Amino acid sequence: MKNKPMMNKSAISTISKLAIPLSILALMVSVATFFISRSTSELVYVDVNRLLESYTRTEVDRKDFNERTTVMKANVDSLMLDWQNELKAYEKERSSMTKKELALKQELLQNKQQQINNYQQTVQKQIQEEDQKMTQTIVNDINSYVKNYGKNHGHHIIFGAQGNGNIMYAEEGTDLTDKVLIGLNEQYNGK
C-alpha cells in the first residue's frame, strides 16, 4: 500500500509540473481563438465612392443643385449678352459721338463689365459653397447611418474604402456596401 501513495505523489508531481504550461497554452489558444474569430467577423468595410454615387439623396440633391446652378449661370450669361449688345451698339454709334459722350459711354461700359465680373465671381463662389455644403451634408448623413449600422450589427470597426488602395484585398462577405446602401436608401425614402 505504500507504493500506491508514492505513485500518486509522483503522478501528482508530474501533473503539477505540466499544469502550469498546459494552463498557459490553453490560455494562449483561447486568446488567439478569440482574436481570430473577432477579426474575421468584425473587420468589414464599405466603398465610400459607391455609397456617394448610389445614395438616392445624392441624386436628388445633385439634380436640385444643378437646376439652381443653371438658373444662376443663365442670369450671368444674360447680363453678359446685354453688355455685349451695348458694346456692339457703342461701336456702331461711336463715330457720331462727341469726345465727352465717348468717354462717358466707355466709362459706363467698363463699370458695367466690372459689375458683371464681380457678380460672376460671386455666383461662382456661391455655387462652390453650396456644392461643398451639399456634399458635406450627404457625407454626414452616410457617416451617421454607417455608425448606427455598425452599432446595431455588432461591428467594432467599419473601414471606408475609396478605391485608391486603402483596401487592396478583402474576403468575400466583408464588403457591407450593398447592405448599407439598401438601408441608407430605405431610411432616406422613409421606409
Side-chain angles (χ1 to χ4, degrees):
M1 284 216 163
K2 285 189 178 184
N3 283 344
K4 244 184 180 178
M6 284 292 238
M7 281 179 118
N8 285 339
K9 280 186 180 180
S10 175
I12 291 173
S13 175
T14 304
I15 292 174
S16 295
K17 290 178 184 176
L18 291 176
I20 293 175
L22 286 175
S23 297
I24 292 173
L25 182 61
L27 179 64
M28 288 173 47
V29 168
S30 297
V31 168
T33 303
F34 174 75
F35 282 111
I36 289 171
S37 67
R38 282 181 66 108
S39 66
T40 57
S41 65
E42 294 177 9
L43 293 180
V44 292
Y45 74 98
V46 293
D47 183 331
V48 176
N49 293 336
R50 272 187 41 221
L51 287 178
L52 281 170
E53 291 169 9
S54 301
Y55 182 26
T56 303
R57 181 175 185 170
T58 303
E59 183 181 336
V60 170
D61 287 3
R62 181 69 52 201
K63 181 180 178 190
D64 181 51
F65 172 77
N66 287 340
E67 288 172 1
R68 287 189 319 246
T69 300
T70 300
V71 169
M72 288 189 263
K73 287 179 179 180
N75 289 339
V76 171
D77 291 345
S78 177
L79 292 172
M80 190 62 91
L81 185 62
D82 288 346
W83 179 82
Q84 288 171 347
N85 288 337
E86 282 186 48
L87 185 62
K88 287 178 185 175
Y90 162 75
E91 293 293 331
K92 286 181 183 177
E93 299 169 358
R94 182 177 172 169
S95 59
S96 64
M97 294 180 158
T98 66
K99 284 186 178 185
K100 191 174 184 181
E101 290 173 328
L102 281 171
L104 182 62
K105 189 65 174 176
Q106 286 174 348
E107 186 178 341
L108 288 172
L109 286 170
Q110 286 175 346
N111 287 341
K112 190 169 187 175
Q113 182 183 23
Q114 185 61 43
Q115 289 173 344
I116 291 170
N117 288 341
N118 291 342
Y119 179 69
Q120 184 177 27
Q121 289 173 355
T122 301
V123 166
Q124 288 174 343
K125 184 178 178 184
Q126 182 180 355
I127 288 170
Q128 185 179 29
E129 287 172 356
E130 284 187 29
D131 185 41
Q132 289 173 345
K133 183 180 175 184
M134 176 193 64
T135 302
Q136 190 59 52
T137 300
I138 291 168
V139 167
N140 290 345
D141 203 22
I142 290 171
N143 287 343
S144 175
Y145 183 84
V146 169
K147 182 178 179 180
N148 288 331
Y149 182 93
K151 285 180 182 178
N152 293 335
H153 291 86
H155 298 291
H156 292 275
I157 188 167
I158 298 177
F159 293 98
Q162 295 182 344
N164 59 2
N166 294 9
I167 296 177
M168 299 295 289
Y169 167 77
E171 286 185 17
E172 193 174 320
T174 59
D175 182 356
L176 298 178
T177 307
D178 291 334
K179 291 177 184 175
V180 168
L181 190 57
I182 289 168
L184 189 61
N185 284 329
E186 285 177 354
Q187 177 179 300
Y188 177 75
N189 292 323
K191 292 182 179 178

